[in-house]
Amino acid sequence: MRKRYKLLIIIFISFILVLIIYWLCYRPKYTYLFLGANYNNLSTYDFNDRLKYLLKDKNIEYKEILEPFIIDEYNEMLANNKHNINYYIKNANLIIISIGINELNNYKEIDSSITIEYLNNMYKFLARVRELNKNDIFIINMYDSNYKLINDKIKLYAKDFKVHYIDSSIVGKDNTFYIKDDLYLNNKGHKNVSNYIIKKI
């Protein structure tokens, strides 16, 4: 009988030690999901790289879905769960959505029907992402002043869905440049974006 008690005590102590070791060593993963355009074709160290470095103490797990950011295609991805996107959105601690500039700049002329369709798709997309995820979400919009109505609406949608909004005012003057109709950020621009995100999370 005494041997049985000793065995039970040993098992109990071992169990407690395992719990203590697990509690001391366990580091939950911090999942960072990036969707869209990263503006880094001419930069070897962009804001994503800097964020991964700044968040390294959080045991970060990085996931990106970098298909060309065409908003109706992203809505289709959500509807069909392409690339298991709904799972990644739902389980992310941090989501950054970068809408790029190519979708609207591909049109020779923007009329009201294109504007309305684009904004409706953007609203639908942000609504679905926020429905799936209650954590920190950022949207990066670098369309210039030629798209004032669209910029104002996206900023309003971000506010409605409690999404952090990043535009050229955050990137900083003279920290963006164009080559062949693509927008890129210089190193200072990437640094400003990453610093802004770190301050908000």
Side-chain angles (χ1 to χ4, degrees):
M1 188 67 105
R2 292 180 63 187
K3 286 184 179 180
R4 182 177 295 176
Y5 281 126
K6 285 183 180 180
L7 181 60
L8 289 173
I9 290 171
I10 291 171
I11 292 172
F12 177 74
I13 291 173
S14 299
F15 178 73
I16 295 300
L17 285 173
V18 168
L19 287 179
I20 291 171
I21 292 171
Y22 177 81
W23 182 75
L24 290 174
C25 297
Y26 176 69
R27 295 174 65 205
K29 287 193 177 294
Y30 184 90
T31 305
Y32 167 20
L33 174 64
F34 180 77
L35 305 171
N38 54 18
Y39 309 113
N40 73 340
N41 296 53
L42 301 178
S43 176
T44 56
Y45 192 76
D46 66 5
F47 62 81
N48 278 323
D49 295 318
R50 182 174 169 81
L51 280 171
K52 284 182 278 186
Y53 173 77
L54 294 173
L55 295 169
K56 65 183 185 299
D57 292 338
K58 291 183 177 288
N59 193 25
I60 187 169
E61 180 178 353
Y62 178 74
K63 172 67 179 176
E64 61 184 16
I65 300 176
L66 296 180
E67 296 205 359
F69 199 96
I70 306 299
I71 188 61
D72 60 337
E73 291 182 7
Y74 265 79
N75 283 328
E76 187 176 337
M77 286 176 67
L78 288 171
N80 298 320
N81 199 24
K82 187 178 179 183
H83 302 312
N84 208 15
I85 188 172
N86 291 297
Y87 170 83
Y88 290 114
I89 289 175
K90 185 175 181 180
N91 290 281
N93 301 98
L94 169 65
I95 298 173
I96 297 180
I97 301 161
S98 180
I99 67 176
I101 61 164
N102 289 323
E103 179 170 1
L104 293 179
N105 282 339
N106 282 334
Y107 290 101
K108 290 183 178 179
E109 203 172 310
I110 304 291
D111 59 22
S112 59
S113 63
I114 292 171
T115 299
I116 291 169
E117 181 181 10
Y118 180 82
L119 290 173
N120 285 342
N121 282 328
M122 185 62 68
Y123 186 93
K124 180 180 178 181
F125 177 73
L126 290 177
R128 179 58 178 160
V129 172
R130 178 48 85 195
E131 180 184 357
L132 289 169
N133 189 288
K134 305 304 179 187
N135 296 319
D136 287 310
I137 301 173
F138 292 77
I139 184 166
I140 302 175
N141 173 25
M142 295 301 297
Y143 280 112
D144 61 28
S145 58
N146 291 323
Y147 300 95
K148 186 178 185 309
L149 173 62
I150 288 171
N151 292 337
D152 289 345
K153 286 291 187 180
I154 294 174
K155 189 172 185 178
L156 180 62
Y157 299 162
K159 182 178 180 181
D160 289 344
F161 293 115
K162 297 181 180 177
V163 170
H164 301 288
Y165 183 78
I166 297 174
D167 61 9
S168 58
S169 66
I170 303 299
V171 172
K173 187 178 179 181
D174 300 326
N175 291 331
T176 64
F177 48 94
Y178 288 84
I179 294 180
K180 295 181 180 178
D181 297 325
D182 287 325
L183 175 68
Y184 303 107
L185 307 182
N186 64 20
N187 288 332
K188 188 174 180 181
H190 284 293
K191 184 177 180 180
N192 289 347
V193 170
S194 60
N195 287 346
Y196 179 82
I197 292 169
I198 288 295
K199 288 177 183 177
K200 293 293 183 179
I201 61 177

